[in-house]
Amino acid sequence: MNNLKTEIKEAVENKETMKHVLNYYLVSNKYDADTEFEQIRKQLLITAQKTTSWNETRPVRWIYLEKTLLEEINIGEFVLSKAKILEIAANTNQPISDPDEVEAFLGYYHRIGTYAYFKDLPDCVVMLPQWLANAFRCIVFADIFQDDVSIITEWNQFRTTGRLSENCLDRLFSCQSVEIKEHRDQILALMEKFDIIVRPKIKLESNEIVQESHYFVPCMTRTEDFAKVIGLFKCESKSSWLCLELEFLPPPLTTSLLIAYSRELAVASVVDSTGDNGPVFYSNFALFYLKDAEDEMLLIAAHKNIIQMQVWKRGHIKRSYSSLRQKINECIHRLGRFFQMKLCYKTKLKCSALSLTDCSGMEDIDKFKEETQYFCKIHSGFRCTNEMSSDWIETTLKQTLTKEQINASRMSMITRDVLTDALYDRLAMDSTPFRSRTECDIPYLYAELRRQNRHMPTKGSWGGSLTDIKDKHKKIGDDIERIRLIQSEILHLSPFAINSSRYTDLCRLVRDVAKRMELNNNKNTDYTNDVKDILQQGVSHKQFEEQEKRN
Ligand SMILES: [Zn+2]
């Protein structure tokens, strides 16, 4: 136990990360003693009461449906189709006949981890996550085959490269229980959904791009070969490093990030000892070809709690990679939602000549924006500064946007992200949203909240304009109206620009609304931090176009 504690302490070195550790419980993945679980249960109950979803209201008929579904689980039906669930729902004591409500039911229970349900896999709703975990384990922890001589070569290949041959896969499934065997295709589809297995596109040495026919299990691949693997690639120049230093970086996040990139970019490959093309795709680093750029490769690698990115070039091309920076920010934001984690990180840069593991030379990207000189310890001077800023900070495009256009883009981003979150969270506290967050916009959320009529604005009726709401009106309903009106103002901007005096007023307004809403929604400082981030970040041409187009 003490050894494990020390290991955890070493893995989470800084104070920021330590605050995620509440207590230690020792459980085995083979033998589970009830006492430990009872203690965990107690702690969970204490923790749960502090969370925002505690005491949320749900329709009572959902409980009837949950109970009826439990009977299915008890007779060994661990996987049901959505059609079957619709049928069951229509025949409980308190029937649900609206398919949208069943959709909301499944979406909600998926989010809280009771079932596993994906809209695009309607034939496969997993009713018992433990069953799914067992099925996954048969692949990820399949050490039982080590002694099976007939499969030893493929097994070793799997352990070193993560490539799961058809033969290997057959063997793995052949000794599983019947209900795992008969759901083989669905289990594999779910594993792809959960970013556990992937079939990446690989670029061969001949420059041909092929889709891998075998699955890869990136979390299985050994990682100590970074220097060796990377040493096989020659390039003439490299960009400086973009480093995202997270407070806490869970390993599955890195793997999911790499898998997300592999869905869009072709993975570089090396010919391995058996003559096969092995993708450079491991649990904590991967090398991709940038789209439409045959002579540029993108390395993404994690070291400790830092995700790092570097572009490798065949020639000495100079161009800005700030769009890559934007993209990785978006990707991490999306994964944060998927993992239901608030991912906080600082963006830093370091000189191209530094190695992945050398983190002492990192400097905050904001310093570059303020045009502070970067002292490079490798080159003993300041000459790397310009190159680093032109690699990752957009300088040319920024000039083409006017201040008023940047104001409008920022306000639009705040409305679409933070204020929509605030209304959605409000709705989720009052009732059960029938749609997931991504399917909701402000007009929909406003209409729902207004229909439920729990938060009448101070003036005693809904609707009206901003001038109807006085500064002293601080009810939840007043802020719901304010959000609708801000959104409507942004929507009707023509041209898409906001002058500086209006911008100052709007900034004050959204800050106040965000502050009150986060207090009322028990969201700590989530909204005010997000607003602050958006107001401080630069706006790229692409972001401007996106926001303008949406309006
Ligand atoms: Zn340097």
Side-chain angles (χ1 to χ4, degrees):
M1 175 80 172
N2 280 336
N3 286 348
L4 288 170
K5 268 192 199 173
T6 322
E7 233 174 79
I8 290 169
K9 275 183 190 146
E10 275 169 10
V12 290
E13 279 171 355
N14 58 48
K15 266 192 195 157
E16 281 302 326
T17 326
M18 263 324 269
K19 72 183 179 201
H20 294 278
V21 181
L22 280 183
N23 209 340
Y24 297 88
Y25 301 94
L26 198 61
V27 288
S28 153
N29 53 6
K30 283 185 181 162
Y31 315 101
D32 46 355
D34 288 345
T35 46
E36 275 298 323
F37 283 98
E38 199 42 52
Q39 285 178 28
I40 296 175
R41 207 189 311 275
K42 274 185 194 153
Q43 177 70 52
L44 281 175
L45 201 61
I46 296 167
T47 315
Q49 287 169 0
K50 292 181 195 152
T51 65
T52 49
S53 54
W54 186 255
N55 265 345
E56 274 181 21
T57 49
R58 300 282 163 243
V60 180
R61 51 188 182 274
W62 287 22
I63 297 167
Y64 281 96
L65 178 54
E66 193 187 348
K67 277 190 177 162
T68 317
L69 291 172
L70 191 63
E71 287 163 21
E72 295 289 320
I73 299 169
N74 287 340
I75 57 165
E77 295 289 340
F78 304 132
V79 181
L80 295 175
S81 68
K82 192 179 161 193
K84 176 84 184 162
I85 294 172
L86 281 166
E87 193 191 310
I88 294 172
N91 292 298
T92 62
N93 285 349
Q94 296 219 6
I96 307 172
S97 50
D98 180 1
D100 283 348
E101 187 172 344
V102 176
E103 180 71 35
F105 169 88
L106 290 172
Y108 174 74
Y109 279 84
H110 171 81
R111 282 198 294 281
I112 61 169
T114 313
Y115 310 137
Y117 166 67
F118 294 94
K119 239 184 192 171
D120 50 347
L121 293 176
D123 288 336
C124 185
V125 188
V126 178
M127 307 313 292
L128 191 67
Q130 186 55 47
W131 177 82
L132 193 61
N134 291 347
F136 287 0
R137 199 168 57 182
C138 87
I139 291 184
V140 180
F141 296 109
D143 279 329
I144 37 173
F145 299 100
Q146 282 183 29
D147 305 327
D148 190 340
V149 183
S150 66
I151 201 178
I152 200 88
T153 322
E154 280 159 316
W155 179 250
N156 284 339
Q157 190 198 32
F158 174 46
R159 296 298 303 212
T160 46
T161 65
R163 177 186 267 141
L164 201 49
S165 70
E166 200 61 32
N167 196 5
C168 229
L169 205 54
D170 286 344
R171 282 305 182 90
L172 290 174
F173 274 99
S174 69
C175 37
Q176 300 305 317
S177 61
V178 180
E179 82 270 359
I180 288 185
K181 261 188 238 170
E182 69 183 17
H183 290 106
R184 172 178 163 143
D185 291 346
Q186 285 126 319
I187 289 170
L188 291 173
L190 281 163
M191 287 181 85
E192 269 192 289
K193 278 274 173 208
F194 280 102
D195 288 344
I196 296 170
I197 55 174
V198 63
R199 266 189 299 196
K201 288 190 297 280
I202 300 183
K203 187 159 177 171
L204 307 178
E205 281 189 352
S206 59
N207 273 342
E208 191 193 345
I209 294 176
V210 292
Q211 172 92 47
E212 245 307 319
S213 53
H214 297 120
Y215 282 113
F216 275 78
V217 191
C219 65
M220 283 292 287
T221 51
R222 276 203 239 130
T223 54
E224 62 262 47
D225 304 305
F226 180 77
K228 200 180 105 194
V229 176
I230 289 311
L232 296 170
F233 286 88
K234 298 280 169 273
C235 65
E236 284 167 51
S237 63
K238 291 177 182 177
S239 74
S240 49
W241 292 92
L242 176 76
C243 311
L244 307 182
E245 188 177 21
L246 283 91
E247 278 183 7
F248 177 56
L249 173 56
L253 178 77
T254 312
T255 312
S256 288
L257 180 76
L258 297 177
I259 288 181
Y261 273 85
S262 80
R263 293 200 172 111
E264 281 189 32
L265 301 177
V267 180
S269 68
V270 275
V271 178
D272 62 21
S273 52
T274 58
D276 277 343
N277 274 287
V280 184
F281 194 88
Y282 295 83
S283 60
N284 63 345
F285 73 94
L287 190 61
F288 303 97
Y289 278 91
L290 282 180
K291 232 177 208 164
D292 311 322
E294 292 215 331
D295 40 11
E296 282 178 304
M297 286 190 284
L298 174 67
L299 170 70
I300 304 178
H303 173 67
K304 291 189 172 167
N305 57 327
I306 311 165
I307 294 173
Q308 304 181 45
M309 192 181 240
Q310 187 176 46
V311 179
W312 292 12
K313 321 174 200 191
R314 290 260 161 82
H316 290 272
I317 331 137
K318 291 250 180 275
R319 63 186 189 103
S320 167
Y321 300 106
S322 60
S323 61
L324 293 179
R325 175 159 70 92
Q326 217 175 83
K327 184 144 191 195
I328 197 165
N329 284 335
E330 285 163 15
C331 198
I332 291 189
H333 197 74
R334 209 173 48 236
L335 288 172
R337 279 194 183 282
F338 182 74
F339 283 92
Q340 299 190 13
M341 283 176 78
K342 179 98 189 157
L343 297 166
C344 300
Y345 58 89
K346 288 197 184 99
T347 307
K348 298 183 172 183
L349 302 180
K350 70 181 184 190
C351 169
S352 58
L354 285 165
S355 70
L356 173 76
T357 51
D358 188 343
C359 301
S360 60
M362 293 193 307
E363 185 62 83
D364 214 302
I365 194 162
D366 291 338
K367 292 269 171 68
F368 291 86
K369 289 182 191 157
E370 293 157 10
E371 296 182 5
T372 311
Q373 293 283 308
Y374 168 86
F375 181 80
C376 177
K377 59 176 188 174
I378 298 243
H379 297 106
S380 311
F382 298 103
R383 66 187 167 95
C384 309
T385 318
N386 284 344
E387 195 176 324
M388 290 163 78
S389 18
S390 58
D391 278 346
W392 300 106
I393 302 169
E394 206 148 15
T395 43
T396 45
L397 289 176
K398 219 192 259 175
Q399 293 155 0
T400 66
L401 288 182
T402 65
K403 222 175 179 171
E404 287 75 16
Q405 288 172 322
I406 293 174
N407 293 345
S409 311
R410 284 192 173 134
M411 223 20 93
S412 170
M413 283 188 258
I414 290 174
T415 323
R416 296 194 174 263
D417 296 341
V418 194
L419 299 184
T420 312
D421 278 350
L423 285 192
Y424 184 82
D425 295 338
R426 185 64 250 166
L427 187 65
M429 287 196 73
D430 292 346
S431 62
T432 309
F434 277 15
R435 298 184 185 177
S436 70
R437 163 67 182 85
T438 46
E439 293 165 320
C440 292
D441 57 11
I442 289 178
Y444 168 79
L445 292 165
Y446 173 80
E448 276 298 294
L449 287 160
R450 182 169 167 166
R451 189 176 60 78
Q452 295 185 2
N453 207 18
R454 290 184 192 219
H455 311 283
M456 180 58 73
T458 311
K459 71 181 165 81
S461 62
W462 291 98
S465 68
L466 268 179
T467 46
D468 300 335
I469 314 171
K470 307 285 171 257
D471 280 352
K472 61 178 184 205
H473 292 174
K474 289 177 181 172
K475 282 189 174 177
I476 294 176
D478 297 320
D479 284 333
I480 295 174
E481 282 294 347
R482 284 189 181 98
I483 292 177
R484 171 183 69 90
L485 290 159
I486 296 168
Q487 192 259 348
S488 158
E489 180 175 337
I490 308 290
L491 187 71
H492 293 104
L493 287 175
S494 177
F496 191 64
I498 300 175
N499 69 38
S500 64
S501 91
R502 183 62 193 147
Y503 183 64
T504 313
D505 291 345
L506 282 172
C507 284
R508 186 184 51 81
L509 192 62
V510 294
R511 274 198 204 105
D512 291 347
V513 170
K515 199 164 190 160
R516 280 190 298 265
M517 289 296 275
E518 71 192 3
L519 193 75
N520 290 323
N521 294 356
N522 295 333
K523 286 288 173 186
N524 210 344
T525 53
D526 286 7
Y527 308 151
T528 39
N529 282 348
D530 287 347
V531 168
K532 204 171 110 198
D533 284 350
I534 295 173
L535 292 180
Q536 285 177 351
Q537 272 168 21
V539 173
S540 71
H541 222 263
K542 201 172 152 218
Q543 280 171 315
F544 168 75
E545 280 167 4
E546 270 171 20
Q547 297 302 327
E548 192 190 26
K549 197 165 58 193
R550 286 174 178 184
N551 281 288

